[in-house]
Amino acid sequence: MAALPFVLVAAAYLIGSDIRLEANPSDKLLPSLGTIADTIYRLAFTPDKRSGAYLFWDDTWASLLRLGLGMFVATLGGLAIGIAAGLVPYARAALSPFIAVLSMIPPLAVLPILFIVFGLGEGAKVVLIVFGVMPFFMRDIQLWVQSLPGEQLIKAQTLGASSWQVALRVVLPQTMPRLIDSVRLSLGPAWLFLIAAEAIASTEGLGYRIFLVRRYMSMDVILPYVVWITLLAFVMDFVLSWISRKAFPWAKLGGH
């Protein structure tokens, strides 16, 4: 049953494509599957005449590198600040208002500022991903840490644990499954920020290619790229879910 919606969408596309191509063989809006397959083969397995690069794989690598670096920095920063704000009252008093305000700023609205400050290179694209998802990590982890049973922290302190030991040996292990879930939920927005940044200032990347060919209505490029981005995001989500189940099976039992 899960495959039924996908089958219906594919069938609707094929029917619509046949109708439009029958009326106008030069129609570009809904290209045939054969045209899409030829385009994918050209981009993925034929070197570009000017650069000699395989555009599809170069675009994929460039986007994944930016996304991975941005998510890595955002995850580490969100985890550290979230635990500090959730565990230490002084840190919570100092950071909570700032984190709340920061999370309300639309990331795409500051994109021009990032390009002015960091230039048109890779820095602005990575910073946009960090700026877009890290406030969510910080708030989510802070609330999660605050929801942990206080008895656990008191017991650890009673047994002589320092603040660092409580954070590293009591709070952090219980926070990791939540952090993975937060990363999974942030993949969609992270891809959105990446594609927006690549569309404005880039010379390679999945978002750059989509916006480059849109002026020619090259749907035979845009559609497979969109499907490829969706597939990459799905695989990332699946891998993170698998890691969470294998590394923290107790988290799925309803406990902290």
Side-chain angles (χ1 to χ4, degrees):
M1 291 297 294
L4 182 59
F6 298 99
V7 174
L8 292 176
V9 171
Y13 179 87
L14 292 175
I15 294 173
S17 177
D18 286 343
I19 293 175
R20 292 186 67 91
L21 291 175
E22 185 175 354
N24 178 17
S26 300
D27 182 77
K28 292 185 175 181
L29 185 61
L30 298 178
S32 66
L33 292 184
T35 302
I36 292 177
D38 291 341
T39 301
I40 294 175
Y41 182 83
R42 174 173 55 83
L43 293 173
F45 302 107
T46 304
D48 182 62
K49 294 180 180 177
R50 289 188 299 177
S51 64
Y54 295 90
L55 298 180
F56 183 80
W57 302 115
D58 278 17
D59 290 336
T60 300
W61 172 248
S63 292
L64 288 179
L65 190 61
R66 293 162 185 154
L67 184 74
L69 183 58
M71 291 297 287
F72 178 74
V73 174
T75 302
L76 286 184
L79 177 65
I81 297 175
I83 288 180
L87 188 61
V88 182
Y90 289 117
R92 185 184 313 143
L95 294 174
S96 287
F98 178 73
I99 295 173
V101 172
L102 194 65
S103 65
M104 299 301 170
I105 300 175
L108 293 181
V110 301
L111 183 56
I113 301 174
L114 296 180
F115 281 133
I116 293 173
V117 175
F118 296 98
L120 301 178
E122 299 300 310
K125 305 177 187 63
V126 174
V127 172
L128 178 63
I129 296 173
V130 175
F131 187 83
V133 300
M134 196 167 81
F136 169 71
F137 290 157
M138 292 189 292
R139 295 193 77 181
D140 192 52
I141 296 302
Q142 176 189 344
L143 294 175
W144 171 259
V145 172
Q146 288 180 241
S147 71
L148 293 176
E151 296 83 358
Q152 295 182 2
L153 308 182
I154 294 174
K155 287 179 180 177
Q157 291 170 336
T158 302
L159 294 172
S162 64
S163 298
W164 277 108
Q165 289 173 321
V166 171
L168 294 178
R169 304 186 65 175
V170 179
V171 175
L172 182 61
Q174 298 184 77
T175 304
M176 290 306 296
R178 181 72 172 204
L179 180 65
I180 293 177
D181 288 341
S182 296
V183 173
R184 293 176 61 195
L185 293 174
S186 299
L187 282 176
W191 273 106
L192 171 65
F193 301 140
L194 172 65
I195 290 172
E198 289 181 339
I200 294 175
S202 185
T203 57
E204 59 182 357
L206 297 171
Y208 160 76
R209 194 67 56 193
I210 289 174
F211 279 83
L212 176 68
V213 302
R214 79 186 192 286
R215 68 189 67 172
Y216 309 111
M217 287 189 65
S218 299
M219 297 294 284
D220 56 330
V221 176
I222 296 174
L223 288 176
Y225 264 58
V226 172
V227 172
W228 179 238
I229 291 172
T230 305
L231 180 61
L232 290 174
F234 177 80
V235 171
M236 291 176 186
D237 181 79
F238 179 83
V239 170
L240 288 171
S241 177
W242 181 83
I243 292 174
S244 181
R245 288 197 308 271
K246 294 298 181 182
F248 312 103
W250 47 267
K252 305 303 179 185
L253 300 178
H256 282 294

